[in-house]
Amino acid sequence: DIQMTQSPSTLSASVGDRVTITCRASQSISIWLAWYQQKPGKAPKLLIQKASTLESGVLSRFSGSGSGTEFTLTISSLQPEDFATYYCQQYHSYPLTFGGGTKVEIK
Amino acid sequence: EVQLVESGGDLLQPGGSLRLSCAASGFTFSGFEMNWVRQAPGKGLEWISYISGGGGNIYYADSVQGRFTISRDNAKNLLYLQMNNLRVEDTALYYCARDGGYGLTLDYWGQGTLVTVSS
């Protein structure tokens, strides 16, 4: 199984900050990497597929990059509605696997 | 509008059985692969099962292999998860999620249904 390692697990930031979350795969997954945002009591929301393709309706302050084993999710200017938990997920092969999550908190 | 609505969650004892359902609407159900993903209270996301559009290909996570069975009824636009020999560690919110197709992944999720296994 492909292991996904996210860092940091918790991130404290202020509104307007630039935020970067890292995800590492235990083997190459090419670009088959997705990012999700989850708010308390809600289902995960897909933000990015194929490592860098924004889903329709997702604001451009979100961006993804990387390929192979190293990936990043960047929020260029953190907004109040962005405080949430973010997960990466590989879909190179089954079983699909998720990172442990990064909780973005208000500083 | 794509909608996925799970149902069937309950409180039950270890060793019990339960069937979850996911009602799909707003898209051609038979044309999409489907998955179940769960989330234990306060924990991360765990994929547990996949089924192809026609039902001919099925995968399971090791944690549920041999105990859970995924199936679908394309005539009724329903996805199922039969859960047998439930364990305390199966306690979680269970989501159904649509696979968006080739090169894509879990693009739509339901709101989840809660399964609690406790003695």
Side-chain angles (χ1 to χ4, degrees), chain A residues 5-69:
Chain A
T5 304
Q6 257 181 268
S7 61
S9 56
T10 307
L11 188 160
S12 295
S14 301
V15 172
D17 284 354
R18 181 181 181 88
V19 166
T20 298
I21 299 168
T22 298
C23 182
R24 290 185 174 87
S26 60
Q27 66 187 71
S28 177
I29 58 170
S30 185
I31 60 166
W32 308 120
L33 189 283
W35 291 97
Y36 299 87
Q37 176 193 67
Q38 188 178 34
K39 296 182 178 179
K42 300 292 187 182
K45 173 188 175 183
L46 180 62
L47 297 177
I48 290 171
Q49 301 201 61
K50 287 189 279 189
S52 61
T53 301
L54 253 63
E55 284 296 283
S56 174
V58 175
L59 297 177
S60 60
R61 64 178 180 267
F62 291 92
S63 64
S65 65
S67 65
T69 62

Side-chain angles (χ1 to χ4, degrees), chain B residues 12-50:
Chain B
L12 61 166
Q13 293 186 336
S17 296
L18 197 62
R19 189 177 82 161
L20 306 183
S21 299
C22 170
S25 61
F27 64 102
T28 304
F29 182 63
S30 61
F32 288 84
E33 302 158 355
M34 298 294 295
N35 294 263
W36 288 98
V37 177
R38 68 184 180 184
Q39 187 169 34
K43 302 297 185 183
L45 300 166
E46 179 190 16
W47 170 84
I48 57 172
S49 190
Y50 156 96

Side-chain angles (χ1 to χ4, degrees), chain B:
Chain B
E1 178 193 5
V2 172
Q3 282 199 316
L4 299 169
V5 180
E6 302 93 337
S7 60
D10 205 350
L11 167 64
L12 61 166
Q13 293 186 336
S17 296
L18 197 62
R19 189 177 82 161
L20 306 183
S21 299
C22 170
S25 61
F27 64 102
T28 304
F29 182 63
S30 61
F32 288 84
E33 302 158 355
M34 298 294 295
N35 294 263
W36 288 98
V37 177
R38 68 184 180 184
Q39 187 169 34
K43 302 297 185 183
L45 300 166
E46 179 190 16
W47 170 84
I48 57 172
S49 190
Y50 156 96
I51 186 167
S52 60
N57 288 317
I58 286 173
Y59 307 133
Y60 298 102
D62 289 345
S63 57
V64 306
Q65 178 78 49
R67 300 187 300 122
F68 290 10
T69 302
I70 191 172
S71 62
R72 63 192 298 161
D73 184 335
N74 286 341
K76 296 181 179 179
N77 289 353
L78 288 169
L79 174 71
Y80 301 107
L81 186 68
Q82 176 67 43
M83 310 164 68
N84 297 331
N85 191 19
L86 281 159
R87 304 168 179 168
V88 170
E89 55 266 33
D90 294 318
T91 294
L93 190 61
Y94 284 73
Y95 296 102
C96 64
R98 190 185 84 164
D99 188 301
Y102 179 76
L104 305 176
T105 189
L106 310 176
D107 57 356
Y108 286 93
W109 298 57
Q111 84 290 347
T113 187
L114 182 62
V115 174
T116 303
V117 184
S118 175
S119 55

Side-chain angles (χ1 to χ4, degrees), chain A residues 44-93:
Chain A
K45 173 188 175 183
L46 180 62
L47 297 177
I48 290 171
Q49 301 201 61
K50 287 189 279 189
S52 61
T53 301
L54 253 63
E55 284 296 283
S56 174
V58 175
L59 297 177
S60 60
R61 64 178 180 267
F62 291 92
S63 64
S65 65
S67 65
T69 62
E70 298 272 340
F71 302 87
T72 58
L73 171 69
T74 299
I75 308 173
S76 60
S77 178
L78 198 65
Q79 297 303 302
E81 59 268 31
D82 301 336
F83 290 96
T85 301
Y86 294 84
Y87 294 93
C88 62
Q89 174 233 317
Q90 68 80 19
Y91 56 105
H92 173 274
S93 58

